[in-house]
Structures are given as C-alpha cells and as structure tokens.
Amino acid sequence: MIGKLAFRNVRRSARDYLVYFLTMTFVTALMFAFNSLIFTKDIEEMFEVAGLMMALIGLATFFIVLIVAWLINYMVRFMLEKRSREFGIYLLIGMRKKEIARLYQRENMLLGACAFLIGMVLGVLLQQVILAILYSMIRIKYDLHMEFNQYCILMTSGCYAGCYLLALFRCGRRFRKMNIRDLMEVQKKNEEVRESHEQFKKWLFPVSVGFLALFAAFIFLGGIKGGGQLLFFLVGLVLVIYLFYIGLSAWIICYVRKRGNAVYRGQNLFLLRQFSSKLKTMSFTMGTLTALFTIAFLGCTVAMMFSDYQNKLLDVKFPFDVQVNSGDAEDDFADEIQLIGEEAEILDAFAYRIYANVPEDALTDLQDSLSAGQTDGCEEKVQSADTDGCKEKVQPADANGCKEKVQSAGTDGYARRPDQVNIWLSTNLKVFGKMYLQEDGSPDIEKIKKDSGGVYCYYDTYMKLSDYNHLRRMLGYPEVSIWDNEYLIHVKERIQNEVDTLSEDVIIEGSQGELKFAGYYSEPFSQDGHNGGDYVVVIPDSQAQQLVPYYSELAVDIEGEAPAGLGNHLDDLNGSDDEEEESEDAEEDQDIAGHRAMSENSCCGSDTIIVMSVENMVRDNLIPETRYMLSTLIFPCFYVGLVFLCVALTVLSVQQLSDSAKYKFRYSVLRKLGMNRREIGRVIWKQLVCYYLCPVLLAVVIGGSISVFMSGKFIFYTGIHSAVFYYFGLSFLLFFGIYLLYFITTYVSFRRNAGAED
Amino acid sequence: MRDYIRVCDVEKYYGNASNVTKAIDRVSFTVAQGEFVGVMGASGSGKTTLLNMLSTIDRVTAGHIWYGDTDIAEMKENALAEFRKENLGFVFQDYNLLDTLTIEENIILAMTLHKAGKREIRERCDEMLRLLRIEDIRDQFPYQVSGGQKQRCACARALINRPRLLLADEPTGALDSRSSQTLLETFTDMNQKMKATILMVTHDAFSASYCSRILFLKDGRIFHELIRGSKSRREFLNEILDVLALTGGEGSDDR
C-alpha cells in the first residue's frame, strides 16, 4: 500500500514541481555529457594533457554536487512544508512517524530515479552535441557514435547519488519533531510579517550599494592591491550579497510606512508590500541565488574569453607550417629537413639566423656557452612575465662591457646598448607596469638583465632583410624594401600601438653608422621567441656585418596538413643529439604539454595567459592541442555556469509557483475590490518581473564589473580584438535565453494557478 | 423608499446536461436604498450563490439584476469589474484581508485602486478608522489582531469608497458572541448613520435579528419574508426563530 501511495505521490509531485523535475533531468544530462569528456578514449590517446581536463571537470563536479545537493535539500524541505497537512492526516489515521519518513524518502528517491533515467537518455544526446563541439574545436572529424563508458555512468550516478545522500541526510530528523497540530496548522498560518528594527536595517541598503560602488571603482581603477584588500573585498561582497536584500526589504517597508507618494498610486501599495515581505522571508535564499547567478556569469564569461581566443588568435600564433629553433647558431637543420621530408611534402624549407649585436668582450663567452649546447630555459608560460633569468652562463663576462657602453652613450641613457630595445620595451610596455623601473623612473637595468632570457633575450634580436623577405614570401605577405641606411622593426600587433616612440629612443647602428627608421610591420610573424620575442629589428644585409649569429631558425612550408605527431618526432630527433646528457635532462627538457622547451638563448615575448613557445612548432599539431587545453577551461566553466544558472532559476520558479495558491487568494481579494482580469494580469506580471529581476540585477552588477574588468585584462594581455563588454554581453545573452525560458514557463503556469477561479 | 436593487426571475444552474443542480430557482425581490436586508436559509439553500450573483462574482443563468437602471446580467467582464469597484463593498466570514498589509494599508489599498488622491485617502481612512474604532491597531498586521477587529477592518475597507451596496457573507461566522454583537452594532450604525444599504447572508438567527427585513431561502426559492417594522429586536428574533422552527430550522439539513 505504501509503495502505491509513494508512487501516486511521486506522480503528483512531478506535476506540481515540474520545473524541479526538469532541472534534475537536465542536471543529470549535463553531468553525464560533461563526465564523458573525461572518459573519451580518442582524446585520452591523442593528448598528453588529457589529465588536465579530468582535473578541471572533477573540480567543477565537486562544486556542482554541492550546489545540486543544496537544491535537493531545499526542495525536500520545501515540499515537506507544503505537504505538511497531508502528513498530519497520515499521522492522524495512525501511521507512525518512521513510516511517513520512509514514505517520503522513498518518494524522493523515486522522483530522483525517474529524473535520473530520463536525464541519462537526454545525456546521451547532449553528449553527442558536446563531443561534436569539442571535436570541431580541436578540428578533428567527429562521427556520431554512442559512448557508454561504464566509468562515466558510474561517475554520473555516483555524483547524483552523492547529491541525494547529502540532501536527505537531515531529513529524518524533521519527521521526528513533527506533531499533528502543527502540521495541520502550517497551511492555515498566514504569512507573519515580523517587523523589527527596520529603521536600522534599512541602512544596510545604501551601505551595500555604497560598497558595490567602491568595489567597482577599485577594480576599474586598478586599486585592489595585495591579499589584504582582496580578502576585504571578497568578504565584503559575500556580506553585501546577503545583507543587500535585508536592507532593500527594510527600505521598502520604511517607505510604505512613511506613506511615500508612490504608495497611493494604483496597485503600488500591494506590489511593494508583497515584494518586501517576500524579500524579508527569503533574504537568505535571494542572497544565495545572487551568488549562484554571479558565478554563472563569471563562468560563462571566462568560457567566452577563451573560446574567442581560440577562434581569433590561434591561427595568428602559428603562421608557419613548421618552425624549428636551435640554440646552435650554425645549425643547418639537415636532420629536421630530412625528417619533415619523410613525413610530408616540403614546398619550401628555409634555414636562417637571428642575429645579435654582441659586444666583442662578451663574444667568446657567448660562443663558449652556445657550443656547449645548453637547452634549458624558457618554456611554455601560462602566467605573467615573472620568469627568472635562464642565461646566467652568458652573463658574467659582459657586465663590465655593458657599463662601459652605457657611459660612452652619455646622455642617451641606454641608447646604443646591445639590449637597448629590450630595455625600452621592458620599461615602456604597459604589460610590465613599473616592474623594471627604479624609483626615480629610470630603467632598473640590473633587474632586466637578471630576468633576460624569459620575456626578452639577453641581446636585441636582428634579422637580415633578405631572410625577412624570404619569410614574408613564405607567408604570402608582400616583400618590403628599405634603403641601405634604414632599418625596420617587425612587432607583434598587440604592442604596435605602444611602440610609437621606440624608434626615437633607440639608435640602431649599422656597419656604416646610424640607421634611419623606416617603419613598423605587424603581420603575424611567430614572435613568441622564434622570430624574436615581441619584435625583431630588420636591417639591410650590408649593414649586418658587425652582428653575430645568435641562434638559428628553420621555417618550413609543407603541402597540405602536417601529419599528427610530427612535432613529437622532431622533439625526439633533438633529444637524440645529446644522448649522453639525456638521462639527466630528459625530464627537465619536457615541459607540461610534452614538448621540448626552446634553447637557452631565445625568449618567449611578453604574451601572457597563453604562450606556446616550444622548440619545434608544428602548426597542425599545436593548434588542436592548444585548443584542447583551452577547452579544458572552457567546458568546465560552461558546465558550472549552466548548472548554477538552472539551479538558481529552479528555486526562483518553484518558490513562485508553489506560492500561487496563496496568491490565488490575494488576487481574489483584489478582484472583489474591483480589479479586472487584465489589471490582475498586469499585477502578476509586475510582481514576477520584480521577483525575477532582483537577484539578477545584483548579480549583473557584481558579475558584470568583475567580468568587464577580467575581459579588459584579458584583451590587454592577449591583444585580441574584442570590445570589453563583448564577453559579458555574450554570456548575458546566453544567460537571458535560459532565464527567459524559465520566466515564461513560470509566468504562464503562475497565471493559470493564480487565476484558476476565473 | 425608491427600489434600489431589483432581482427579477433569477435562475442559476450548476452541473452538466445529465446532472443539473438548480441552485437558485426563479428568485425575485427588491431592495430599497438604506435598507438592511438579511438572507437566511440552511446550508445549500442557495444563499451564497445569490450573494455571489448580486456581487457580480458569479453570473446568472437566466434573469436580471438591476442596480438602478443598470442590468449587471448583461455586462461584460471588464465593465463588471469597474461596476464592482464603484458600487459594491464586501465583508466575508474569513475577513479576506491581505496578510502582507497592515490594517490601515488594507483600507488604503481599496482607495488607491480607485485612483483617489493622497490627501483624500488619508482623510477618509482616518475617518473610517475612527468610526469603526480600530485607530489604535492601524499599524498592526492582520495576524496580530482579533477576529472582531479584522472584521471591522474588512467593514472599513468595504465602506471607504461609499458603495451603493454592502454585501456581507456570514460576517459573524468566525467571531465569538461578544465580537459578533459589536460587529452587528457596527452594521446597524453604518446603516443608520452612514445610510449604507446592506445585504447580509447568514444562518444565525441572532445576527439576522439586526436586519430590517429578512428573506428566507429554501432549495433555491424564497419561501418567506419577515419585516421588522417597529418591533423590538427581541420580538423580531422570536419571530425569526418561529419561522426557522416551522421549516425545521437550519439544523435540519445539518443533521
């Protein structure tokens, strides 16, 4: 009998709490689909960084389980309250509390199981969509196929069951404390509006708004410095999110009590009172919803940023089909060319040198160190330019030499130094801020030298015009010509706007004296270390006599796509060169992504956030890999964003819908007071809009300021061409799409419920 | 006295083709301006149905209800809402106060829906609170005050717009005898001092004895009418009890 009762109750609950049921279904589907990203075999085999995806999805899952558990717990308590009269009747006819508790738990389990099963079916479909998106992201053809990995199913059901266990954990206790009278009375009890200390509480509202303004001002003016302030603002934000609603409710109550003019207009009195009492009883829930919305916004924004980066910048990052770096300035790349030739059809293979203006006294040391074939140094960086110097071996001899040069340059400061461009960039680019400036505003040369080999090389990097034009031809750019007494600078597009005065501050000397500046070029040119870091100075061949080959590069143009694994083969090739050291260095040579780092006498450029500077760059290998790495960030962010959004919206909807019985009475009173159906419709509309908009508005303000700030930084550091509001705008649109869906569903059912007596 | 409300041959059926219930069966009567009319009858006799039709909450199946020259049976939904707002006031057994509003705000709300000005609202509201002796609880919420006070608040809300007719559905149903008496005295006051026309549905003889005329309803028809005239309330009460005893009283249906 109890089983039958439970089944019937589940059917009714599923109908009454359709939104909740659908959300649980959707959450299951999302869980399954995203978990399957971890267990996709193809990908696991393809990328060595597959573990990263697992870690990040796992992290996302952790938070999602917590939040979904909160949702279930909330709903369980909520339904318990709404059905208290029914439970009272069960007690009245002689059921024991334990039996009722078991009945209720069984119902919830059944409801959960139904949602889970339907969710899994939906999940298989969603899995196809998500895998198709991922595969198209990493440019691999995807054939639709069902993937039922048992671990994936196990993990999904594990997470789901975990949510339920967490949620139902404390449910039994509530039943033990029940008594029949209370249960029967709960329904009859009117909403008790307890007003106390409202005058005091209302100040929380302006204080919260003030804090938000302060927060916005601080992050936009770049004022948050240090852990202390960050902690202050974080704690403040959490407090504000919760106190805001208490303040707002008190503010409205005080306004109504003061009988402000708006109170006497139309249905305002009714709306204001409804809203304030709702806020008052729900301030904690509202705060939590705001927090969820904010996180959802931020998650989507981050996902949008990186996906935009994928679409716009990745191709620009790797202009050449294959590019190989060698620390050996005399390398002829014969082995590499042969290997590439074996695996693909070479259209053009061009080996060239990058030069430096090395002072004579430092020359012998440089050559010593180069011939030693050092190959540790700059790797893939995901953080800002804080790499320590990796060139100590070249350093010692030249310190004096440099100083002498500076002295001879006299008033020019560091002009004519062999690293004048590096110094100029280190002290003038916004990326570095005041990092390399001394207190008096002059360059902190010692620090620059100490850090060289990271962002910039130890010396400025030069290229011969003939080499430059050959490379331009390979990339399909028009060739350039300059006079014999001129030079040009090829810079990354990102910094082009910042280097206007560079040409005025540096003095480039050729073999026949000072050269004149002929202009900047900024096409994609592989300047994350290969063709210089950020820049390369191009001088006529005839002027390059006093320059020393610094390191060698090979650029290869091949027919069609490069075969998978070419990059790894090239890495292996280099590895076998210095076999005697291999046992020791093999581990160190490999960076996170499993590629060889570049030679010591190169650098990475000032790009941050995503930098791929590896010795052997094969575009068609690296792009999918980078895309995959980015998608390990993008997917979990979307995942978290979507789930949080749905959970928050479910709570909002269920709250409103289950209150519609109470509202039915209120609207019938309004009807008797002479409001017609259209007017009541308008009141319902206004009420729902207020209720729905309130937590979102706050989340938009908080999430919006943080997003815009993050986007600004992202755009600044990556040099991507997007407006600051772009990412937030996109997530906002996505957000509102889902939001509108929930709103319309709620509005329609709410009207039906509340106006049922018509 | 001029006939103020005329109910002509009103019928109301519920149900479907196979199972029709006649809730009201060709009922006709008139109410004059300033009258305090009671409608009595056992449960299921059609009292509340009649009241609902008079109050435009429900529609007649056949017949007409004239308020002056206006036949509300012919009016459209929106016009009815407007009519309700302008002409009718309600007092119900379960008060129907909004629990999120204070006593005073419940009264104000009725006027703000009429788009009255701030000053007028305040003056009328103060006057009503004073007349119904609920000034001291004006800032309390409904759950904080007694049933009698709630019902007086409902009366104030019903009367604040000076309706042509005050409809009361078992107004004393949920009150103790002391509060009932106070409320009924209030009704009499409203009727006599404020010239309010009142139609009260009740099955309680004591409450009915405050009326000036009583219609007895049975199975959807009016089967008797009592007029108080110059009789004392006690005499009138006895008459009512006699009628109820004759017809088996209200209890006969309940047992």
Short mmCIF file of all heavy atoms in Angstrom, two decimals, chain A residues 247-291:
data_model
loop_
_atom_site.label_atom_id
_atom_site.label_comp_id
_atom_site.label_asym_id
_atom_site.label_seq_id
_atom_site.Cartn_x
_atom_site.Cartn_y
_atom_site.Cartn_z
N GLY A 247 18.38 44.87 3.63
CA GLY A 247 18.32 46.32 3.56
C GLY A 247 17.23 46.79 2.62
O GLY A 247 16.44 47.68 2.97
N LEU A 248 17.16 46.18 1.45
CA LEU A 248 16.17 46.60 0.45
C LEU A 248 14.77 46.42 0.99
O LEU A 248 13.91 47.31 0.87
CB LEU A 248 16.37 45.78 -0.83
CG LEU A 248 15.42 46.09 -1.97
CD1 LEU A 248 15.57 47.54 -2.41
CD2 LEU A 248 15.67 45.18 -3.15
N SER A 249 14.54 45.26 1.62
CA SER A 249 13.21 44.99 2.16
C SER A 249 12.86 46.02 3.23
O SER A 249 11.76 46.59 3.23
CB SER A 249 13.20 43.57 2.72
OG SER A 249 12.30 43.46 3.76
N ALA A 250 13.81 46.30 4.13
CA ALA A 250 13.56 47.27 5.19
C ALA A 250 13.32 48.66 4.60
O ALA A 250 12.47 49.41 5.08
CB ALA A 250 14.74 47.32 6.15
N TRP A 251 14.04 48.96 3.54
CA TRP A 251 13.90 50.27 2.90
C TRP A 251 12.48 50.43 2.35
O TRP A 251 11.84 51.45 2.55
CB TRP A 251 14.92 50.38 1.76
CG TRP A 251 15.06 51.78 1.25
CD1 TRP A 251 14.37 52.36 0.23
CD2 TRP A 251 15.93 52.79 1.75
NE1 TRP A 251 14.75 53.65 0.06
CE2 TRP A 251 15.71 53.95 0.98
CE3 TRP A 251 16.88 52.84 2.77
CZ2 TRP A 251 16.41 55.13 1.19
CZ3 TRP A 251 17.57 54.02 2.98
CH2 TRP A 251 17.34 55.14 2.20
N ILE A 252 11.99 49.38 1.69
CA ILE A 252 10.64 49.44 1.13
C ILE A 252 9.61 49.55 2.26
O ILE A 252 8.69 50.36 2.21
CB ILE A 252 10.35 48.19 0.27
CG1 ILE A 252 11.29 48.16 -0.93
CG2 ILE A 252 8.91 48.21 -0.22
CD1 ILE A 252 11.15 46.92 -1.78
N ILE A 253 9.83 48.74 3.29
CA ILE A 253 8.88 48.78 4.42
C ILE A 253 8.82 50.18 5.02
O ILE A 253 7.75 50.73 5.26
CB ILE A 253 9.29 47.75 5.50
CG1 ILE A 253 9.04 46.33 4.96
CG2 ILE A 253 8.51 47.97 6.79
CD1 ILE A 253 9.57 45.23 5.85
N CYS A 254 10.00 50.78 5.20
CA CYS A 254 10.02 52.13 5.78
C CYS A 254 9.33 53.12 4.85
O CYS A 254 8.61 54.02 5.30
CB CYS A 254 11.45 52.58 6.04
SG CYS A 254 12.18 51.69 7.41
N TYR A 255 9.53 52.94 3.56
CA TYR A 255 8.90 53.84 2.60
C TYR A 255 7.39 53.71 2.69
O TYR A 255 6.67 54.71 2.71
CB TYR A 255 9.39 53.51 1.19
CG TYR A 255 8.80 54.40 0.13
CD1 TYR A 255 9.28 55.70 -0.03
CD2 TYR A 255 7.77 53.96 -0.68
CE1 TYR A 255 8.74 56.53 -0.98
CE2 TYR A 255 7.22 54.78 -1.64
CZ TYR A 255 7.70 56.07 -1.79
OH TYR A 255 7.16 56.89 -2.72
N VAL A 256 6.90 52.47 2.73
CA VAL A 256 5.46 52.25 2.80
C VAL A 256 4.91 52.81 4.11
O VAL A 256 3.88 53.48 4.14
CB VAL A 256 5.13 50.75 2.67
CG1 VAL A 256 3.66 50.50 2.95
CG2 VAL A 256 5.48 50.24 1.29
N ARG A 257 5.66 52.59 5.19
CA ARG A 257 5.20 53.08 6.49
C ARG A 257 5.16 54.60 6.52
O ARG A 257 4.29 55.20 7.14
CB ARG A 257 6.16 52.61 7.57
CG ARG A 257 5.81 51.27 8.13
CD ARG A 257 6.35 51.25 9.53
NE ARG A 257 6.64 49.90 9.96
CZ ARG A 257 7.64 49.60 10.77
NH1 ARG A 257 8.47 50.54 11.18
NH2 ARG A 257 7.84 48.37 11.15
N LYS A 258 6.11 55.18 5.85
CA LYS A 258 6.17 56.65 5.82
C LYS A 258 5.08 57.20 4.90
O LYS A 258 4.84 58.39 4.86
CB LYS A 258 7.55 57.07 5.31
CG LYS A 258 8.08 58.33 5.92
CD LYS A 258 9.47 58.63 5.38
CE LYS A 258 9.42 58.93 3.91
NZ LYS A 258 10.72 58.89 3.24
N ARG A 259 4.44 56.29 4.18
CA ARG A 259 3.40 56.66 3.21
C ARG A 259 3.93 57.62 2.17
O ARG A 259 3.42 58.72 1.99
CB ARG A 259 2.20 57.29 3.91
CG ARG A 259 1.60 56.44 5.01
CD ARG A 259 0.58 55.48 4.47
NE ARG A 259 0.00 54.70 5.56
CZ ARG A 259 0.43 53.48 5.91
NH1 ARG A 259 1.41 52.91 5.24
NH2 ARG A 259 -0.13 52.83 6.89
N GLY A 260 4.98 57.18 1.49
CA GLY A 260 5.52 57.97 0.38
C GLY A 260 4.46 58.09 -0.71
O GLY A 260 3.49 57.33 -0.73
N ASN A 261 4.63 59.06 -1.58
CA ASN A 261 3.59 59.34 -2.57
C ASN A 261 3.25 58.14 -3.44
O ASN A 261 2.11 57.93 -3.81
CB ASN A 261 4.02 60.51 -3.45
CG ASN A 261 3.95 61.81 -2.68
OD1 ASN A 261 3.16 61.89 -1.72
ND2 ASN A 261 4.75 62.78 -3.05
N ALA A 262 4.28 57.36 -3.81
CA ALA A 262 4.05 56.24 -4.73
C ALA A 262 3.10 55.21 -4.14
O ALA A 262 2.44 54.48 -4.87
CB ALA A 262 5.37 55.58 -5.08
N VAL A 263 3.03 55.19 -2.80
CA VAL A 263 2.17 54.20 -2.15
C VAL A 263 0.72 54.39 -2.57
O VAL A 263 -0.06 53.44 -2.64
CB VAL A 263 2.32 54.34 -0.62
CG1 VAL A 263 1.28 53.52 0.11
CG2 VAL A 263 3.72 53.92 -0.21
N TYR A 264 0.36 55.63 -2.85
CA TYR A 264 -1.05 55.93 -3.12
C TYR A 264 -1.42 55.77 -4.58
O TYR A 264 -2.49 56.14 -5.01
CB TYR A 264 -1.39 57.34 -2.64
CG TYR A 264 -1.31 57.47 -1.15
CD1 TYR A 264 -0.16 57.91 -0.53
CD2 TYR A 264 -2.39 57.09 -0.35
CE1 TYR A 264 -0.08 57.99 0.85
CE2 TYR A 264 -2.33 57.17 1.02
CZ TYR A 264 -1.16 57.63 1.62
OH TYR A 264 -1.09 57.70 2.98
N ARG A 265 -0.48 55.30 -5.37
CA ARG A 265 -0.77 55.19 -6.81
C ARG A 265 -1.08 53.75 -7.19
O ARG A 265 -0.26 52.85 -6.97
CB ARG A 265 0.44 55.70 -7.60
CG ARG A 265 0.06 56.89 -8.45
CD ARG A 265 1.28 57.55 -9.05
NE ARG A 265 1.89 58.50 -8.15
CZ ARG A 265 3.21 58.64 -7.98
NH1 ARG A 265 4.04 57.86 -8.65
NH2 ARG A 265 3.70 59.53 -7.17
N GLY A 266 -2.26 53.53 -7.75
CA GLY A 266 -2.64 52.24 -8.31
C GLY A 266 -2.37 51.07 -7.38
O GLY A 266 -2.70 51.09 -6.20
N GLN A 267 -1.73 50.03 -7.95
CA GLN A 267 -1.52 48.82 -7.17
C GLN A 267 -0.17 48.84 -6.45
O GLN A 267 0.26 47.82 -5.93
CB GLN A 267 -1.57 47.58 -8.07
CG GLN A 267 -2.77 47.48 -8.95
CD GLN A 267 -2.45 47.89 -10.37
OE1 GLN A 267 -1.31 48.11 -10.71
NE2 GLN A 267 -3.47 48.02 -11.18
N ASN A 268 0.48 49.99 -6.43
CA ASN A 268 1.82 50.04 -5.85
C ASN A 268 1.89 49.51 -4.43
O ASN A 268 2.81 48.78 -4.08
CB ASN A 268 2.35 51.48 -5.85
CG ASN A 268 2.76 51.88 -7.24
OD1 ASN A 268 2.65 51.07 -8.16
ND2 ASN A 268 3.21 53.10 -7.41
N LEU A 269 0.89 49.90 -3.63
CA LEU A 269 0.91 49.50 -2.23
C LEU A 269 0.97 47.98 -2.14
O LEU A 269 1.78 47.41 -1.40
CB LEU A 269 -0.34 50.04 -1.53
CG LEU A 269 -0.52 49.63 -0.07
CD1 LEU A 269 0.63 50.12 0.77
CD2 LEU A 269 -1.82 50.19 0.47
N PHE A 270 0.11 47.34 -2.92
CA PHE A 270 0.05 45.89 -2.92
C PHE A 270 1.39 45.30 -3.36
O PHE A 270 1.96 44.44 -2.69
CB PHE A 270 -1.07 45.43 -3.86
CG PHE A 270 -1.19 43.95 -4.01
CD1 PHE A 270 -1.77 43.18 -3.01
CD2 PHE A 270 -0.72 43.31 -5.15
CE1 PHE A 270 -1.89 41.81 -3.14
CE2 PHE A 270 -0.84 41.94 -5.28
CZ PHE A 270 -1.42 41.19 -4.28
N LEU A 271 1.91 45.82 -4.48
CA LEU A 271 3.16 45.29 -5.03
C LEU A 271 4.33 45.48 -4.06
O LEU A 271 5.11 44.56 -3.82
CB LEU A 271 3.47 45.97 -6.36
CG LEU A 271 2.63 45.48 -7.53
CD1 LEU A 271 2.84 46.37 -8.74
CD2 LEU A 271 2.97 44.05 -7.87
N LEU A 272 4.43 46.69 -3.52
CA LEU A 272 5.55 46.98 -2.63
C LEU A 272 5.53 46.06 -1.41
O LEU A 272 6.55 45.52 -1.00
CB LEU A 272 5.51 48.44 -2.18
CG LEU A 272 5.90 49.46 -3.25
CD1 LEU A 272 5.66 50.87 -2.75
CD2 LEU A 272 7.35 49.29 -3.64
N ARG A 273 4.32 45.91 -0.85
CA ARG A 273 4.21 45.08 0.34
C ARG A 273 4.51 43.62 0.03
O ARG A 273 5.18 42.92 0.80
CB ARG A 273 2.81 45.21 0.94
CG ARG A 273 2.69 46.34 1.92
CD ARG A 273 3.64 46.14 3.08
NE ARG A 273 3.31 47.05 4.18
CZ ARG A 273 3.98 47.09 5.32
NH1 ARG A 273 5.03 46.31 5.51
NH2 ARG A 273 3.64 47.92 6.26
N GLN A 274 3.97 43.15 -1.09
CA GLN A 274 4.23 41.76 -1.48
C GLN A 274 5.72 41.52 -1.60
O GLN A 274 6.28 40.56 -1.11
CB GLN A 274 3.64 41.45 -2.87
CG GLN A 274 2.17 41.38 -2.94
CD GLN A 274 1.65 40.18 -2.20
OE1 GLN A 274 2.35 39.55 -1.43
NE2 GLN A 274 0.41 39.88 -2.37
N PHE A 275 6.33 42.45 -2.33
CA PHE A 275 7.75 42.31 -2.65
C PHE A 275 8.60 42.36 -1.39
O PHE A 275 9.48 41.53 -1.18
CB PHE A 275 8.13 43.43 -3.61
CG PHE A 275 9.49 43.27 -4.19
CD1 PHE A 275 9.86 42.10 -4.82
CD2 PHE A 275 10.42 44.29 -4.11
CE1 PHE A 275 11.12 41.94 -5.35
CE2 PHE A 275 11.68 44.15 -4.64
CZ PHE A 275 12.03 42.97 -5.25
N SER A 276 8.27 43.33 -0.52
CA SER A 276 9.13 43.46 0.66
C SER A 276 8.96 42.26 1.59
O SER A 276 9.92 41.79 2.17
CB SER A 276 8.84 44.76 1.40
OG SER A 276 7.54 44.72 1.92
N SER A 277 7.73 41.75 1.69
CA SER A 277 7.56 40.62 2.61
C SER A 277 8.23 39.38 2.04
O SER A 277 8.80 38.56 2.76
CB SER A 277 6.09 40.38 2.92
OG SER A 277 5.50 39.64 1.90
N LYS A 278 8.19 39.25 0.72
CA LYS A 278 8.85 38.12 0.08
C LYS A 278 10.37 38.21 0.32
O LYS A 278 11.02 37.24 0.67
CB LYS A 278 8.55 38.17 -1.42
CG LYS A 278 8.92 36.93 -2.16
CD LYS A 278 7.80 35.94 -2.14
CE LYS A 278 8.34 34.55 -2.09
NZ LYS A 278 7.37 33.56 -1.72
N LEU A 279 10.88 39.41 0.09
CA LEU A 279 12.33 39.61 0.29
C LEU A 279 12.72 39.33 1.73
O LEU A 279 13.77 38.76 2.02
CB LEU A 279 12.71 41.05 -0.03
CG LEU A 279 12.92 41.41 -1.49
CD1 LEU A 279 13.43 42.84 -1.57
CD2 LEU A 279 13.91 40.47 -2.14
N LYS A 280 11.83 39.74 2.62
CA LYS A 280 12.15 39.61 4.03
C LYS A 280 12.26 38.15 4.43
O LYS A 280 13.21 37.75 5.11
CB LYS A 280 11.03 40.29 4.83
CG LYS A 280 11.45 40.70 6.20
CD LYS A 280 10.37 41.54 6.80
CE LYS A 280 10.59 41.69 8.27
NZ LYS A 280 11.91 42.19 8.62
N THR A 281 11.27 37.37 3.99
CA THR A 281 11.31 35.96 4.39
C THR A 281 12.34 35.18 3.58
O THR A 281 12.77 34.12 4.00
CB THR A 281 9.93 35.29 4.22
OG1 THR A 281 9.44 35.64 2.93
CG2 THR A 281 8.97 35.74 5.27
N MET A 282 12.73 35.73 2.44
CA MET A 282 13.59 34.95 1.55
C MET A 282 14.98 35.54 1.40
O MET A 282 15.69 35.18 0.47
CB MET A 282 12.96 34.92 0.15
CG MET A 282 11.62 34.31 0.10
SD MET A 282 11.79 32.58 -0.28
CE MET A 282 12.68 32.68 -1.80
N SER A 283 15.35 36.47 2.29
CA SER A 283 16.59 37.20 2.00
C SER A 283 17.79 36.27 1.85
O SER A 283 18.65 36.49 1.00
CB SER A 283 16.85 38.25 3.09
OG SER A 283 16.98 37.61 4.31
N PHE A 284 17.82 35.22 2.65
CA PHE A 284 18.97 34.32 2.55
C PHE A 284 18.98 33.57 1.21
O PHE A 284 20.00 33.51 0.53
CB PHE A 284 18.97 33.32 3.71
CG PHE A 284 20.20 32.46 3.73
CD1 PHE A 284 21.41 32.96 4.18
CD2 PHE A 284 20.16 31.16 3.24
CE1 PHE A 284 22.55 32.18 4.17
CE2 PHE A 284 21.30 30.37 3.22
CZ PHE A 284 22.50 30.88 3.68
N THR A 285 17.81 33.06 0.84
CA THR A 285 17.72 32.38 -0.45
C THR A 285 18.08 33.32 -1.58
O THR A 285 18.81 32.96 -2.51
CB THR A 285 16.29 31.85 -0.66
OG1 THR A 285 15.90 31.18 0.52
CG2 THR A 285 16.21 30.91 -1.83
N MET A 286 17.55 34.54 -1.51
CA MET A 286 17.84 35.52 -2.56
C MET A 286 19.35 35.76 -2.66
O MET A 286 19.89 35.87 -3.77
CB MET A 286 17.14 36.85 -2.25
CG MET A 286 15.69 36.83 -2.55
SD MET A 286 15.41 36.65 -4.31
CE MET A 286 14.09 37.76 -4.58
N GLY A 287 19.99 35.87 -1.51
CA GLY A 287 21.44 36.08 -1.50
C GLY A 287 22.15 34.92 -2.18
O GLY A 287 23.04 35.11 -3.01
N THR A 288 21.73 33.71 -1.83
CA THR A 288 22.37 32.54 -2.42
C THR A 288 22.14 32.52 -3.93
O THR A 288 23.06 32.22 -4.70
CB THR A 288 21.79 31.26 -1.79
OG1 THR A 288 21.87 31.41 -0.38
CG2 THR A 288 22.58 30.04 -2.20
N LEU A 289 20.92 32.88 -4.34
CA LEU A 289 20.64 32.92 -5.78
C LEU A 289 21.55 33.92 -6.47
O LEU A 289 22.10 33.65 -7.54
CB LEU A 289 19.18 33.31 -6.03
CG LEU A 289 18.14 32.32 -5.53
CD1 LEU A 289 16.74 32.76 -5.94
CD2 LEU A 289 18.41 30.94 -6.09
N THR A 290 21.71 35.08 -5.83
CA THR A 290 22.59 36.09 -6.42
C THR A 290 24.00 35.54 -6.59
O THR A 290 24.63 35.73 -7.63
CB THR A 290 22.64 37.34 -5.53
OG1 THR A 290 21.30 37.74 -5.29
CG2 THR A 290 23.39 38.46 -6.18
N ALA A 291 24.47 34.84 -5.54
CA ALA A 291 25.82 34.29 -5.62
C ALA A 291 25.91 33.29 -6.77
O ALA A 291 26.86 33.30 -7.55
CB ALA A 291 26.17 33.62 -4.30
#
